[in-house]
Amino acid sequence: IVELKDTVSLMTSDSYIERFIAEYAQTKIRYNKLHNIIVKYDANTLDFQLSCPIEVLKMQKTAMGNYLNQLEIRAEIEHIDLSCVKFLI
């Protein structure tokens, strides 16, 4: 499983494609973590107290999902292969 720290070399690359892949991977990692928190909250199994309303987190997840979609569309247009990221996350 890829973690944020694993994307540093891609994020600092001279290649815009590698930076793009890092941006996608970082957003996907954060999205998945937020999704897991929301699922656990809804299932009443979250092991900590939220510091903001769940509705705010759900709106953030929606915005992140829309952003991921836009990145995926751009990747398709620019022929950037994101399959390695989708496989690792």
Side-chain angles (χ1 to χ4, degrees):
I1 295 177
V2 175
E3 297 181 24
L4 287 174
K5 63 181 176 142
D6 301 325
T7 66
V8 172
S9 63
L10 289 174
M11 185 53 80
T12 59
S13 171
D14 290 335
S15 166
Y16 89 91
I17 292 175
E18 289 182 354
R19 291 192 309 273
F20 181 90
I21 291 169
E23 181 178 357
Y24 179 79
Q26 291 171 357
T27 306
K28 189 77 167 171
I29 290 165
R30 290 182 174 103
Y31 177 88
N32 288 343
K33 288 182 179 186
L34 182 57
H35 173 77
N36 290 336
I37 288 171
I38 292 169
V39 167
K40 288 182 179 191
Y41 178 88
D42 287 344
N44 293 317
T45 60
L46 193 61
D47 59 357
F48 63 91
Q49 190 76 15
L50 294 176
S51 57
C52 69
I54 190 67
E55 293 79 16
V56 171
L57 297 180
K58 288 181 177 181
M59 288 188 310
Q60 179 182 350
K61 181 184 169 203
T62 298
M64 291 173 76
N66 290 335
Y67 183 58
L68 285 168
N69 181 255
Q70 291 303 308
L71 290 175
E72 291 167 0
I73 291 168
R74 179 179 167 199
E76 184 69 22
I77 291 168
E78 296 186 20
H79 307 288
I80 299 172
D81 184 9
L82 296 176
S83 62
C84 62
V85 175
K86 292 178 182 182
F87 176 74
L88 296 173
I89 297 177

